[in-house]
Amino acid sequence: ERIESQRRLEQELQIAREVQARLFPQTTPPLQTLDYAGICVQARHVGGDYYDFLSFGPDRFGLLLGDISGKGIAAALLMANLQANLRSQLAMAREHPELFLRSVNATFYDNTADSAYSTTFFAVYCDGERRLPYANCGHLPGLLLRANGHVEELSPTGPVLGLFREWDGHLGACEMSPGDTLALYTDGVTEACNAGGEEFGHERLIAALRKHTNRSAQQTIRAVLDEVLEHCTGEQSDDITLIVAKCTDRRVPLA
């Protein structure tokens, strides 16, 4: 009976993993001036990290990355709640991103426990202008590696989503130029530890991104992920999620 019970549990977890995998982007809308890719490697069958690519028409594109509080099945259920919440309100995101985030926050707050929240990074890339309005909702700073080697941090512009009834945040904005690289990530990347307890950290992440600056977004993600996993010893303790977007002056092929 114990063996059969364990078999059923493993089967149900595998089904849950497959269902959750469908919540991640299944297509990558083509853009004139941005080569982009994302990946999520979960520490368990299911997890609470989430990323998405959102099409707002021929010249606007949304990038979203979130890290739900908690781990495992509970976090996965919250992640599905947030994904449905976001997707159901996309109509206002293109022209009114702040209103969109306030609405998403209020719905997430009303539909979850008091302790549930998500750190979130949301940006709308304007293809023709190469402009990037963004909101960092209590998340780790986005990294913008300029073609000249300078690194800019896109720091929080508001609180996390779902913890407070009112979201009192604002948008930041930056311009991207050909050769610039944007990286969004969760703490599973920077807090991956080696046998001595040393974290992978922001400096190693920046160095890895610089090392692969001339490669495609998809190739860069795979190379950075390999470095993180090589640094991390033993069992992976947290979900690893990474988005890389590279600004270009030409139409790029889909990965």
Side-chain angles (χ1 to χ4, degrees):
E1 288 182 359
R2 286 196 299 270
I3 293 174
E4 178 61 19
S5 177
Q6 182 64 29
R7 186 193 67 81
R8 286 198 302 268
L9 177 60
E10 290 291 335
Q11 186 179 43
E12 289 172 359
L13 286 173
Q14 182 58 34
I15 292 172
R17 184 185 186 94
E18 293 170 1
V19 170
Q20 189 176 47
R22 298 295 299 178
L23 301 181
F24 291 104
Q26 304 300 307
T27 60
T28 49
L31 295 171
Q32 293 280 351
T33 63
L34 199 70
D35 174 24
Y36 64 95
I39 195 170
C40 177
V41 180
Q42 293 163 331
R44 306 181 185 182
H45 281 85
V46 291
D49 278 11
Y50 169 57
Y51 77 93
D52 212 344
F53 300 136
L54 311 167
S55 178
F56 296 138
D59 65 338
R60 297 285 180 92
F61 166 76
L63 301 98
L64 190 144
L65 186 144
D67 188 354
I68 302 290
S69 56
K71 296 182 184 297
I73 293 175
L77 291 171
L78 288 173
M79 180 271 221
N81 181 306
L82 179 62
Q83 194 261 9
N85 185 357
L86 289 160
R87 285 278 178 169
S88 68
Q89 303 188 63
L90 280 184
M92 72 177 80
R94 175 187 166 100
E95 302 297 337
H96 307 286
E98 287 188 46
L99 182 61
F100 166 68
L101 288 170
R102 288 191 172 92
S103 180
V104 166
N105 174 77
T107 305
F108 195 49
Y109 177 88
D110 289 341
N111 293 336
T112 57
D114 291 345
S115 59
Y117 65 89
S118 173
T119 66
T120 306
F121 194 106
F122 173 67
V124 178
Y125 181 73
C126 307
D127 198 14
E129 305 167 24
R130 298 192 182 94
R131 190 168 180 272
L132 189 81
Y134 68 90
N136 183 335
C137 309
H139 196 71
L140 297 168
L143 298 175
L144 183 55
L145 281 70
R146 297 295 189 180
N148 63 7
H150 181 65
V151 179
E152 296 177 19
E153 292 193 352
L154 308 185
S155 299
T157 62
V160 299
L161 297 181
L163 194 59
F164 309 105
R165 186 63 178 79
E166 300 293 334
W167 185 78
D168 184 20
H170 63 277
L171 296 184
C174 60
E175 307 287 336
M176 294 186 70
S177 301
D180 293 348
T181 297
L182 172 69
L184 308 177
Y185 54 96
T186 58
D187 55 11
V189 175
T190 51
E191 294 181 5
C193 291
N194 61 18
E198 183 181 12
E199 295 183 347
F200 187 75
H202 288 83
E203 294 304 317
R204 282 191 180 89
L205 175 57
I206 292 170
L209 291 166
R210 281 178 170 154
K211 188 189 305 182
H212 306 289
T213 187
N214 293 323
R215 305 178 74 177
S216 71
Q218 187 65 58
Q219 291 171 335
T220 299
I221 276 190
R222 296 306 314 183
V224 172
L225 178 62
D226 286 345
E227 290 195 30
V228 173
L229 294 177
E230 183 178 351
H231 176 84
C232 182
T233 55
E235 184 179 355
Q236 182 184 334
S237 61
D238 200 359
D239 300 339
I240 293 173
T241 306
L242 177 66
I243 290 175
V244 169
K246 300 194 173 193
C247 187
T248 178
D249 58 0
R250 56 180 173 79
R251 176 173 286 280
V252 295
L254 293 179

